[in-house]
Structure formats: C-alpha cells, structure tokens
Amino acid sequence: FIDTVSAPIVGIDENGKVTDWNQRFIEVTGVSKDEALGRSFLGYVDECNRQETQAMIEETMKGDSSPTMEMLISTASNEPRVFLLSSTPRVGKDGAIVGVICIGQDITSLRELEL
C-alpha cells in the first residue's frame, strides 16, 4: 500500500531511523529505499527545520498526531525540496506505539511560484 500511494510517505522508528520510504519519496528525492532505510530521518531534513521536526516526532511518539508542518528535505542532487508533512503514531500488533508515519506532499513548485 505505502509504495502505491502517490503521496510521499516515510516511516520512522522510536530511534528516529527510517523504516519505510515509499516510491514517491524516491521519485522526489532521488534517494533509494535501500539508501534511506536505517538512516536518521533528521539527516534528510534541512538544519533550519531539524529541531521542529524532532519535536514533531517526539510528540507523535507520545500518541499525538501532528498538524501539517512545512520542511525542507534534502535530495540526492543536493537541491532541497519543500514538503508539507503530517505525522501519526504507528501502532504495533500489541497496541503500543512503535514509530511514526509521515504523509505529505511536495510543494516546491508552489513555493517557487510565490517568488
């Protein structure tokens, strides 16, 4: 399901490591799934957004879904893309929160039109 959705989706575990990286994230960032899995998600977030993104992940791990957040994500070509991401807790079979799922959209073109 995650790979067939047209929206970028990333799964993050309790340690902030990427556990899912769907096809749309691959297309937009140029970063392969194999390269992303196991790496810190914050490593893909521009430094100006890292603290806010970390806070979003921590709040979501407590069970709170986040409002949509705008952030810059690095690409394989070092050209940042502007994403709107929202997060929701990822729950395991036993009902415990095991991570975070972020769903978003690439709004880079919209931001470029505003300039």
Side-chain angles (χ1 to χ4, degrees), residues 3-4 7 9 11 16 31 33 37 39-40 44 49 51 62 67 84-85 96-97 108 110-111 115:
D3 277 329
T4 61
I9 298 175
V31 177
K33 187 173 190 171
L37 293 179
R39 290 194 56 201
S40 169
Y44 294 104
N49 299 121
Q51 187 173 11
K62 293 176 186 174
L84 278 179
L85 287 180
I97 296 172
T108 306
L110 291 173
R111 289 295 174 251
L115 299 175

Side-chain angles (χ1 to χ4, degrees), residues 2-5 7 9 21-28 33:
I2 287 177
D3 277 329
T4 61
V5 175
I9 298 175
W21 189 263
N22 80 340
Q23 185 62 37
R24 185 67 183 138
F25 249 115
I26 295 167
E27 293 167 2
V28 174
K33 187 173 190 171

Side-chain angles (χ1 to χ4, degrees), residues 19-110:
T19 58
D20 288 299
W21 189 263
N22 80 340
Q23 185 62 37
R24 185 67 183 138
F25 249 115
I26 295 167
E27 293 167 2
V28 174
T29 64
V31 177
S32 72
K33 187 173 190 171
D34 287 340
E35 185 179 345
L37 293 179
R39 290 194 56 201
S40 169
F41 178 66
L42 292 177
Y44 294 104
V45 177
D46 190 88
E47 191 173 329
C48 69
N49 299 121
R50 283 189 191 145
Q51 187 173 11
E52 185 179 10
T53 303
Q54 178 65 38
M56 175 195 74
I57 292 169
E58 289 172 2
E59 287 302 309
T60 306
M61 285 298 298
K62 293 176 186 174
D64 299 325
S65 292
S66 76
T68 303
M69 184 178 133
E70 189 172 309
M71 68 180 72
L72 291 172
I73 301 286
S74 300
T75 65
S77 61
N78 292 319
E79 294 177 29
R81 305 291 296 185
V82 183
F83 280 85
L84 278 179
L85 287 180
S86 59
S87 66
T88 191
R90 183 177 211 164
V91 179
K93 292 178 183 177
D94 63 357
I97 296 172
V98 296
V100 173
I101 294 288
C102 295
I103 303 168
Q105 69 183 63
D106 178 3
I107 61 165
T108 306
S109 298
L110 291 173

